């Protein structure tokens, strides 16, 4: 796959507008495996946050990406468990400022989940 399809390029520059396209390219089986349980979801996010930290992305950039992912999941994916349902309801109930704060909290949750493995 060419680099123009990626959200982050080799220089660590982000193209957050490509988040939706990247999620759309993910096959349904992979999505189901990630969203199957909340622990699996947290671990997946934790690995992605670790990768983002390793290439030098700021927490703010990660939160903006998490916002894009949250918008995508709220609009296009059905929750697979109670925790995901709660996150979806909180996401939909919040305004953009509250969603941004929740995105920061999800980044922190993912960091903690990965550190505690």
């Amino acid at each position: 796959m060419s680099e123009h399809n990626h959200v982050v390029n080799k220089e660590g520059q982000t193209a957050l507008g490509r988040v939706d396209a990247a999620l759309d390219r993910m096959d349904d089986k992979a999505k189901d495996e990630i969203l199957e349980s909340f622990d699996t979801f947290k671990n997946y996010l934790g690995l992605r946050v670790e990768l983002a930290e390793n290439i030098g992305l700021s927490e703010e950039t990660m939160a903006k990406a998490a916002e894009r992912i949250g918008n995508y999941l709220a609009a296009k994916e059905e929750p697979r468990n109670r925790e995901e349902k709660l996150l979806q309801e909180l996401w939909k109930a919040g305004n953009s400022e509250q969603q941004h704060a929740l995105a920061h909290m999800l980044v922190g949750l993912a960091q903690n989940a990965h550190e505690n493995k």
Side-chain angles (χ1 to χ4, degrees), residues 53-66:
E53 290 171 336
N54 288 342
I55 62 171
L57 295 185
S58 69
E59 183 177 333
E60 183 63 23
T61 300
M62 289 186 276
K64 286 180 180 178

Side-chain angles (χ1 to χ4, degrees), residues 11-67:
E11 289 78 37
Q13 298 166 326
T14 58
L16 295 176
R18 295 183 183 149
V19 170
D20 289 359
L23 291 169
D24 282 335
R25 282 193 310 272
M26 185 180 287
D27 73 28
D28 289 338
K29 184 178 178 193
K31 282 182 192 176
D32 286 341
E33 288 174 4
I34 294 165
L35 298 173
E36 152 189 342
S37 80
F38 192 64
D39 285 334
T40 304
F41 176 67
K42 284 190 311 185
N43 290 332
Y44 177 83
L45 290 180
L47 289 171
R48 296 305 173 261
V49 166
E50 181 182 32
L51 288 171
E53 290 171 336
N54 288 342
I55 62 171
L57 295 185
S58 69
E59 183 177 333
E60 183 63 23
T61 300
M62 289 186 276
K64 286 180 180 178
E67 275 186 84

